[in-house]
Amino acid sequence: MKKPYDFFYLSRQYKNAIRGVLLTSVGSAIGVASSIIAAPVISRLYTPEQYGIFSVCLTIISFIVQNGMFRFEDSLFLEENEANINAMCQISFAFAGFSIILSSIALTFWGKQIFTVFNIGYLP
């Protein structure tokens, strides 16, 4: 007899949803754990002023990368067609690469001015 709580009898959509939630949770946990492990090492390498500049730069880079994909990665969970999912992944990576290249060029040519506007100390 089919039991409603038995995982093997769940529909394909529910299995995909559970798999997606687990993958997202594990990925987030690995990201948090790596930052917790790296924080003491990085804080020993830099002076407090340099560590503050590093964390501000890391925050700016995280913001650029997250918004650089224009939230296409969130729409992957809504799409059911595999060909569309692959196309959306490629678009998302292309936008991320474009935003990283664009921000790298901006920091290369106008880094001192950008740091001055945000009142951040500049490391040569």
Side-chain angles (χ1 to χ4, degrees):
M1 174 155 192
K2 183 175 173 183
K3 298 175 184 155
Y5 57 88
D6 193 358
F7 181 75
F8 296 109
Y9 291 112
L10 292 177
S11 71
R12 182 175 166 203
Q13 289 178 336
Y14 288 122
K15 285 183 183 180
N16 288 338
I18 290 171
R19 185 180 308 132
V21 168
L22 287 175
L23 284 174
T24 304
S25 300
V26 169
S28 296
I30 289 172
V32 169
S34 66
S35 65
I36 288 173
I37 291 169
V41 175
I42 292 173
S43 67
R44 301 283 188 273
L45 294 174
Y46 298 115
T47 65
E49 181 183 346
Q50 290 174 333
Y51 185 71
I53 294 169
F54 171 76
S55 30
V56 168
C57 291
L58 187 64
T59 303
I60 292 170
I61 289 169
S62 298
F63 178 77
I64 290 170
V65 169
Q66 268 185 328
N67 294 319
M69 290 194 284
F70 300 106
R71 309 291 288 180
F72 274 107
E73 74 277 4
D74 290 341
S75 62
L76 293 175
F77 296 109
L78 302 174
E79 186 60 45
E80 294 180 5
N81 187 355
E82 184 116 3
N84 289 346
I85 290 174
N86 290 335
M88 287 168 35
C89 280
Q90 291 173 357
I91 290 171
S92 179
F93 285 133
F95 277 131
F98 177 72
S99 67
I100 289 170
I101 290 170
L102 190 64
S103 61
S104 297
I105 292 171
L107 286 176
T108 300
F109 291 112
W110 302 290
K112 288 184 181 181
Q113 290 86 359
I114 293 171
F115 286 158
T116 304
V117 167
F118 290 110
N119 198 16
I120 303 170
Y122 184 75
L123 293 176

